[in-house]
């Protein structure tokens, strides 16, 4: 995962340098300030809204939007997996043609980007559809095997409104695929970031510390210790970073001297900040102290990264500054409030948020579908009967021993309804 601030094709934040062997005119101070300020704003948007949507995601009922929980074991393995992936991409670019690899990656991220952008804009677009919009429900279901061995591979529910959002996202996808324009790149990058913060959930604060600590070392090693991350970032043409031109004021939308922020610097701290928001809600104090503290810490850490990079004119591993800030600030607040134990004992995956239905057991249903449907209709259509007062009658109704006796009793009731009336009069 690329996570650093850098030049136009470098995975970190850095002032853009020449990429085609020609000398570019230096960027103006106004252009640099606009580029860095825009990157900071674009980084904050998916973290803020992704954290809010992560709470709704935990409360949601749709199985297709259920979050993926990261455990401490996953967090410990993640830096190793990320390092192997990064090194593998580096070797691929050294051995094979860069053009064909980027073509394959472009098609892959084209599909992922359309799906991510569609999922991102769907809640906003629903507000613009008229009330009489013909909305139909669909389900995409892929199964493997048959009978008792049938296993669901894909079970995705969607409607007509989702198809409209998918069509709009496809337009952006084609634009990115044909032009590789930086605006289309940023739209996909923001969608990836927001979906990552929303759907990736840390199960507790200790897991978050393990993940951030491991990637803290990962980022420093691959940025300062080797040229692997820089080489991959320069060769990798995919929406895995946010970019903004530093010469926008001079060249407009055709500007090509970019500052860059890797998506790893947004998603990794973002899922930790979202965890602290859910922790705030679990305290039931109607305050979001830890969320706002970590959010302010992220602004401080990323601002410090930009400042250091601008002073030393070198790409910086942003997690070097973000990890101490995002972990240190909330822990200090917890120490001041005496809530360190509550913070580290909080389990996000085990918490039942308000209005979240949970199924603790599965009811057993027997009989054919037709008989079940008939019995349901009879219960709904028939009048409500008074509950029998005799406990033995209740037991006999729920546990009949002789089916023939039950049939005879029903026939007797139908044949002589006057007996029942006489008993009631008595």
């Amino acid at each position: 995962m690329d996570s650093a601030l850098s030049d136009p094709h470098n995975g970190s934040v850095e002032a853009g340098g020449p990429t085609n062997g020609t000398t570019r005119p230096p960027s103006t101070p106004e252009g640099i300030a606009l580029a860095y300020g825009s990157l900071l704003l674009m980084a904050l948007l998916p973290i803020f809204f992704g954290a809010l949507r992560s709470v709704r995601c935990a409360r949601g009922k749709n199985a297709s939007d259920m979050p993926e929980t990261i455990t401490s074991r996953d967090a410990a393995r993640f830096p190793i997996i990320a390092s192997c992936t990064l090194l593998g991409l580096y070797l691929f670019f050294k051995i094979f043609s860069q053009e064909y690899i980027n073509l394959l990656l472009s098609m892959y991220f084209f599909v992922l980007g359309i799906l991510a952008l569609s999922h991102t804009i769907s809640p906003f677009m629903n507000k613009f559809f008229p009330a009489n919009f013909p909305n139909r429900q669909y389900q995409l279901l892929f199964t493997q095997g048959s009978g008792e061995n049938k296993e669901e591979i894909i079970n995705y529910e969607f409607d007509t409104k989702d198809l409209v959002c998918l069509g709009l996202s496809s337009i952006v996808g084609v634009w990115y695929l044909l032009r590789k324009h930086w605006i289309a790149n940023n739209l996909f990058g923001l969608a990836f970031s927001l979906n990552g913060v929303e759907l990736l959930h840390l199960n507790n604060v200790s897991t978050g510390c393990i993940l951030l600590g491991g990637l803290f070392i990962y980022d420093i090693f691959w940025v300062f210790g080797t040229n692997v991350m820089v080489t991959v970032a320069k060769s990798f043409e995919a929406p895995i970073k946010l970019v903004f031109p530093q010469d926008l004021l001079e060249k407009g939308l055709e500007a090509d001297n970019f500052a860059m922020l890797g998506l790893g610097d947004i998603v990794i701290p973002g899922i930790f900040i979202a965890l602290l928001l859910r922790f705030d809600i679990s305290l039931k104090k109607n305050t979001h102290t830890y969320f706002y503290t970590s959010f302010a810490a992220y602004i401080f850490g990323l601002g410090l990264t930009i400042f250091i990079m601008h002073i030393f004119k070198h790409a910086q591993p942003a997690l070097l500054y973000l990890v101490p800030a995002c972990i240190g600030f909330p822990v200090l607040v917890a120490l001041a409030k005496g809530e360190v134990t509550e913070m580290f004992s909080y389990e996000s995956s085990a918490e039942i948020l308000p209005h979240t239905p949970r199924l603790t057991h599965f009811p057993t249903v027997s009989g054919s579908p037709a008989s079940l449907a008939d019995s349901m209709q009879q219960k709904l259509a028939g009048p409500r009967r008074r509950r029998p007062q005799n406990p033995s009658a209740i037991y006999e109704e729920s546990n009949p021993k002789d089916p023939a006796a039950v049939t005879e009793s029903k026939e007797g009731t139908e044949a002589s309804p006057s007996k029942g009336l006489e008993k009631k009069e008595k």
Side-chain angles (χ1 to χ4, degrees):
M1 178 178 291
D2 184 19
S3 64
L5 257 178
S6 78
D7 68 14
H9 304 290
N10 190 345
S12 308
V13 180
E14 180 184 325
T19 57
N20 56 2
T22 60
T23 303
R24 287 190 179 134
S27 301
T28 62
E30 294 82 4
I32 295 175
L34 177 63
Y36 291 155
S38 300
L39 285 177
L40 179 60
L41 178 62
M42 286 192 293
L44 296 177
L45 289 176
I47 292 178
F48 185 83
F49 290 105
L52 296 179
R53 288 176 59 156
S54 75
V55 177
R56 290 196 292 267
C57 179
R59 296 173 177 174
K61 302 177 182 179
N62 191 352
S64 61
D65 292 335
M66 292 301 292
E68 184 73 23
T69 303
I70 301 175
T71 64
S72 57
R73 184 177 181 181
D74 299 328
R77 292 187 299 183
F78 191 82
I80 301 174
I81 297 173
S83 297
C84 295
T85 304
L86 184 66
L87 187 60
L89 287 172
Y90 175 80
L91 296 176
F92 264 100
F93 282 117
K94 288 293 184 181
I95 298 173
F96 301 102
S97 173
Q98 178 178 330
E99 179 182 356
Y100 294 111
I101 296 176
N102 280 322
L103 178 62
L104 180 62
L105 292 174
S106 296
M107 295 302 299
Y108 176 71
F109 281 98
F110 166 76
V111 176
L112 288 184
I114 290 176
L115 296 176
L117 186 59
S118 175
H119 181 265
T120 300
I121 67 175
S122 179
F124 303 102
M125 291 298 297
N126 287 337
K127 300 178 182 179
F128 297 98
F129 287 104
N132 58 351
F133 182 81
N135 193 31
R136 295 183 178 181
Q137 301 293 326
Y138 303 94
Q139 184 179 19
L140 183 64
L141 180 63
F142 284 96
T143 61
Q144 181 180 3
S146 60
E148 297 180 354
N149 297 325
K150 183 179 291 186
E151 180 182 0
E152 288 187 1
I153 300 176
I154 297 176
N155 187 1
Y156 187 76
E157 298 177 359
F158 58 97
D159 54 25
T160 308
K161 295 179 181 179
D162 294 326
L163 293 178
V164 174
C165 295
L166 192 66
L168 296 175
S169 302
S170 300
I171 297 175
V172 179
V174 173
W175 181 26
Y176 171 78
L177 196 62
L178 298 178
R179 297 289 305 275
K180 294 292 191 301
H181 199 275
W182 61 274
I183 295 180
N185 175 91
N186 287 347
L187 290 175
F188 277 171
L190 289 170
F192 285 139
S193 301
L194 192 144
N195 279 273
V197 176
E198 176 187 359
L199 299 175
L200 292 176
H201 287 194
L202 296 166
N203 63 347
N204 54 48
V205 175
S206 299
T207 300
C209 293
I210 293 172
L211 179 64
L212 290 175
L215 291 176
F216 173 81
I217 300 172
Y218 158 88
D219 215 19
I220 295 174
F221 174 77
W222 290 112
V223 172
F224 287 148
T226 70
N227 67 337
V228 172
M229 183 176 287
V230 174
T231 303
V232 171
K234 287 181 178 180
S235 307
F236 202 87
E237 294 181 3
I240 58 169
K241 69 270 185 183
L242 299 179
V243 297
F244 200 90
Q246 301 180 66
D247 52 350
L248 179 67
L249 301 177
E250 291 80 19
K251 296 184 179 181
L253 296 179
E254 299 302 322
D256 57 356
N257 185 19
F258 299 97
M260 175 186 306
L261 177 64
L263 297 189
D265 298 328
I266 302 174
V267 176
I268 300 303
I271 60 177
F272 186 75
I273 295 172
L275 171 68
L276 293 178
L277 174 60
R278 298 193 297 275
F279 170 63
D280 277 323
I281 294 174
S282 72
L283 294 177
K284 299 179 181 179
K285 295 183 178 180
N286 295 324
T287 59
H288 296 157
T289 305
Y290 294 99
F291 171 68
Y292 290 128
T293 300
S294 58
F295 195 73
Y298 182 85
I299 298 175
F300 171 78
L302 191 58
L304 182 61
T305 307
I306 294 174
F307 175 76
I308 297 295
M309 184 210 59
H310 185 67
I311 295 297
F312 290 97
K313 306 298 181 184
H314 188 277
Q316 296 295 314
L319 293 181
L320 172 64
Y321 309 96
L322 290 173
V323 169
C326 291
I327 294 178
F329 283 33
V331 170
L332 289 176
V333 172
L335 283 171
K337 299 181 67 174
E339 295 176 344
V340 176
T341 304
E342 290 85 348
M343 174 185 283
F344 282 90
S345 61
Y346 167 70
E347 288 285 341
S348 176
S349 58
E351 182 194 34
I352 301 178
L353 293 173
H355 314 296
T356 304
R358 289 296 177 95
L359 187 64
T360 56
H361 67 280
F362 293 94
T364 303
V365 180
S366 60
S368 65
S371 62
L372 291 174
D374 292 338
S375 63
M376 289 297 295
Q377 290 177 359
Q378 291 174 5
K379 289 180 181 179
L380 292 174
R384 182 176 296 179
R385 296 181 299 176
R386 296 179 61 186
R387 298 178 61 186
Q389 301 297 323
N390 189 358
S392 62
I394 298 175
Y395 179 80
E396 290 175 0
E397 277 189 14
S398 58
N399 299 277
K401 295 182 179 179
D402 188 1
V406 175
T407 305
E408 290 176 2
S409 65
K410 288 183 179 179
E411 292 176 355
T413 305
E414 293 175 358
S416 56
S418 60
K419 293 182 178 180
L421 293 174
E422 291 174 2
K423 291 180 180 180
K424 287 183 180 180
E425 289 178 1
K426 291 180 181 179

